Amino acid sequence: MADGVGFDLGQLSSQQQEALQQYTDVTGQEIKDAVPLLERSQWNVQIAIAKFFDGDGPDLVAEAQAAQDNPPPAAARYENLHESFLDADDDRPRRTRSPRTEAAPRVVPQQPVSIRPRGLLSILLTPFSTTWSLTRGVLGVFGRIISFFFAFLPASFRPRYLGTTIRGLGQAHGRTAALPQEAARRFRREFEEAYGTHGLVFFEGGHAQALDTAKRELKFFLMVLISPEHDDTDSFIRNTLLSPDVVSYISDPSNNIILWGGNVADPEAHQVANEYACLKYPFSCMVCLTPKEGSTRMGIVKRLVGPMTPAAYLSGLQDAITKYSPDLNGVRAERAAQEHARNLRNEQDSAYERSLARDRERARQKREAEAAAAAAEKRALEEAERAARQEELRRQWRNWRATTVAPEPDTKDAVRLALNMPASAGGGRVIRRFASDTTLEELYAFVECYGLLQEGPLNEKAAEPEGYEHKYGFQVASVLPRETLHPSKTITIGQKMGRGGSLVVEDLIDEDEEE
């Protein structure tokens, strides 16, 4: 874009624009006349200024060109031993490497520790503190003079930190150190108070945080440093930075710009100015990831120094973004592919884990079912064996107990009972006489062994099984009145039935069978 004088400043590099600004500040010459002179001087500001003021004199550029016509023999340079053997047989011209961008420092502010003396010590140190405050003011003025002097020197001869460090002693005076987030909010608040509502969105954090965000999100990091003491600051902000075209371009999300601003009167911004060798204000710098120079390297891709028109400022931003956007797009595509591959791998791993979990669950259920079936089978077998043993012991006990049942007495005092037998015992009505002193347990034993007594001769050798306690599976009850007679070894039939009566034998039902 043209700046109004018929020359396109966007074609100049940041170093050339800086040299042009220094030359015009000293000579006051028009830009259209200054550019050809600087081109003839190979953009050496000292030679151009000497030509402007002296008029005649030796052509330093011609002498330098003559020296370049007879250059000394260049020493052979090989990247490694393998390339040295390859280059010995290769006559093809070697590719010239593109110049590397300047590395962008990551600035982490150091919070000063303030120790205030108390009591008598504070009174004794008052003269020293007053002297130090005056010294800082003097050093601040001296630093501004030094910075003004350095502005006329070539970039290669400028000290990087001396002028800004000395000047910073005076600029930081009166500004309290704050955390990066608080300093960012203070800058935005002061910026809005001075210039009103605007469309720029400043990053709310420190320089290191903004730089890390730009590296992580693959965006362009635009930092703007201003110094309220410079006369060009107000006009630059109002006419250039806040111009509609610049605001629209910086705020456009498609341009991927993170904007960070700082006042060099603040300690953090002052430290950033030192690290980025800022010698003139207003100062703007564009930083982004430079993957061709290093996978994690952040480089300075554009410097916009001093006052300039909105067209020139916007042209500088557009040139940098146009040049380095393809590299960032390539990294984005690579990261997207890696993320897609990672997500696909995670989905596959997750699906495999889910399938494996289902298989494990089915195997666990199968093992539990098999174990439960085995346990049930074992339990059933044990119960069957136990029932068989109990039945065998019951049979032995009945055989033995049948031999102990007293025969039916034939006396007048005998008790005559009519027993209604249950269906399990063959049913029917049994009439029998019992001695009056026969216990109820003897009555129960007769009913239990009634079948054996009816079958025939008994086994007199049958013995009582050891450790077996017989339980009767029935109960005997009187009809009128209804009374259950329990198998007692102390209560006799005569006590309960007198001379006789009718009894009912009822089978007992277990709870499990009843359910």
Side-chain angles (χ1 to χ4, degrees):
M1 295 183 182
D3 61 351
V5 296
F7 184 80
D8 188 3
L9 292 178
Q11 298 178 356
L12 302 180
S13 64
S14 59
Q15 291 81 2
Q16 292 174 346
Q17 292 181 7
E18 187 175 355
L20 176 62
Q21 185 65 36
Q22 295 175 6
Y23 176 80
T24 55
D25 290 343
V26 176
T27 61
Q29 192 177 18
E30 296 292 335
I31 294 179
K32 63 180 180 179
D33 299 326
V35 171
L37 181 57
L38 285 170
E39 289 179 345
R40 293 195 300 271
S41 303
Q42 297 295 321
W43 293 96
N44 190 310
V45 179
Q46 287 182 327
I47 297 177
I49 293 175
K51 284 185 176 183
F52 179 80
F53 287 106
D54 296 341
D56 297 330
D59 192 350
L60 301 180
V61 178
E63 294 179 1
Q65 187 66 33
Q68 292 180 359
D69 293 338
N70 299 314
R77 179 180 180 276
Y78 301 105
E79 294 294 336
N80 49 48
L81 184 61
H82 177 67
E83 291 186 2
S84 65
F85 285 109
L86 294 179
D87 290 345
D89 299 330
D90 191 359
D91 296 334
R92 294 176 298 177
R94 300 187 61 174
R95 183 177 61 182
T96 303
R97 290 191 174 187
S98 59
R100 291 171 60 90
T101 59
E102 182 181 355
R106 183 178 183 273
V107 181
V108 179
Q110 299 178 356
Q111 298 298 328
V113 179
S114 178
I115 301 177
R116 295 184 178 181
R118 299 179 179 180
L120 182 60
L121 183 61
S122 64
I123 298 176
L124 296 177
L125 294 179
T126 298
F128 297 98
S129 61
T130 304
T131 304
W132 170 242
S133 299
L134 296 175
T135 304
R136 289 178 62 183
V138 173
L139 288 177
V141 176
F142 180 68
R144 285 189 288 272
I145 297 175
I146 292 296
S147 299
F148 180 77
F149 173 73
F150 288 156
F152 300 105
L153 295 179
S156 59
F157 293 98
R158 296 175 191 163
R160 184 174 183 183
Y161 301 111
L162 181 60
T164 53
T165 301
I166 297 177
R167 184 176 70 254
L169 295 175
Q171 289 178 337
H173 182 68
R175 301 283 288 194
T176 58
L179 296 175
Q181 292 81 359
E182 296 177 358
R185 286 192 293 266
R186 180 169 61 186
F187 174 82
R188 188 181 64 176
R189 183 177 62 255
E190 294 176 351
F191 192 90
E192 292 178 352
E193 291 175 355
Y195 302 102
T197 305
H198 55 85
L200 297 178
V201 179
F202 289 97
F203 184 83
E204 293 188 1
H207 176 273
Q209 296 174 337
L211 187 69
D212 295 341
T213 302
K215 177 188 293 188
R216 182 177 60 256
E217 298 180 1
L218 297 177
K219 293 186 177 182
F220 291 93
F221 175 34
L222 175 61
M223 69 181 74
V224 178
L225 297 178
I226 61 174
S227 175
E229 298 183 358
H230 285 71
D231 297 335
D232 299 326
T233 298
D234 186 74
S235 61
F236 168 77
I237 295 177
R238 294 184 184 277
N239 301 328
T240 302
L241 187 61
L242 295 182
S243 66
D245 293 340
V246 175
V247 172
S248 176
Y249 186 79
I250 295 177
S251 303
D252 189 356
S254 62
N255 293 326
N256 296 317
I257 297 177
I258 295 178
L259 178 62
W260 182 85
N263 187 339
V264 293
D266 290 327
E268 182 184 17
H270 174 67
Q271 187 176 351
V272 172
N274 288 341
E275 293 291 339
Y276 283 83
C278 176
L279 299 176
K280 191 172 183 180
Y281 298 96
F283 176 82
S284 299
C285 183
M286 180 77 79
V287 176
C288 72
L289 184 70
T290 53
K292 293 182 178 179
E293 301 171 0
S295 59
T296 60
R297 185 179 185 275
M298 297 293 286
I300 300 175
V301 298
K302 194 66 175 181
R303 289 177 181 266
L304 301 172
V305 182
M308 61 182 62
T309 62
Y313 191 82
L314 185 59
S315 176
L317 297 180
Q318 291 174 340
D319 291 344
I321 291 179
T322 302
K323 181 178 180 180
Y324 290 93
S325 287
D327 297 341
L328 296 183
N329 292 334
V331 178
R332 288 192 189 95
E334 182 179 357
R335 289 187 181 180
Q338 293 175 354
E339 184 66 19
H340 177 71
R342 188 183 304 110
N343 293 336
L344 181 60
R345 184 168 58 253
N346 292 337
E347 291 178 359
Q348 293 174 348
D349 294 343
S350 178
Y352 173 76
E353 291 295 334
R354 290 194 300 269
S355 176
L356 184 61
R358 288 193 298 268
D359 294 341
R360 290 174 178 172
E361 181 63 19
R362 284 195 289 266
R364 184 189 64 81
Q365 294 177 355
K366 182 178 180 180
R367 289 195 302 269
E368 291 180 354
E370 292 176 351
E377 182 179 359
K378 180 180 179 181
R379 190 164 52 251
L381 181 61
E382 292 176 353
E383 291 178 356
E385 292 177 354
R386 184 168 56 253
R389 287 196 302 269
Q390 286 295 112
E391 183 64 23
E392 177 63 22
L393 292 175
R394 180 175 178 274
R395 186 188 65 79
Q396 294 177 9
W397 183 88
R398 290 177 70 245
N399 291 334
W400 164 77
R401 191 69 176 86
T403 61
T404 62
V405 175
E408 184 176 4
D410 188 13
T411 60
K412 293 182 179 180
D413 59 349
V415 179
R416 185 173 180 276
L417 298 177
L419 300 173
N420 294 320
M421 304 299 287
S424 60
R429 182 181 177 88
V430 177
I431 299 175
R432 191 179 188 278
R433 291 187 297 273
F434 294 89
S436 61
D437 60 350
T438 301
T439 62
L440 295 179
E441 197 277 333
E442 287 284 341
L443 176 62
Y444 270 79
F446 170 80
V447 175
E448 184 73 44
C449 301
Y450 177 74
L452 294 177
L453 294 174
Q454 294 297 321
E455 290 177 358
L458 303 177
N459 185 7
E460 299 295 338
K461 297 181 180 181
E464 180 181 8
E466 297 181 359
Y468 174 74
E469 182 179 357
H470 185 74
K471 293 182 180 181
Y472 295 100
F474 59 89
Q475 66 180 7
V476 180
S478 61
V479 180
L480 292 173
R482 171 73 182 185
E483 181 183 2
T484 301
L485 305 179
H486 298 288
S488 174
K489 293 183 180 182
T490 58
I491 300 175
T492 63
I493 295 176
Q495 294 174 349
K496 288 292 184 180
M497 301 301 296
R499 299 292 298 175
S502 296
L503 297 177
V504 178
V505 179
E506 301 172 341
D507 289 331
L508 296 177
I509 301 177
D510 294 338
E511 294 181 357
D512 295 339
E513 295 179 358
E514 185 176 1
E515 291 178 358

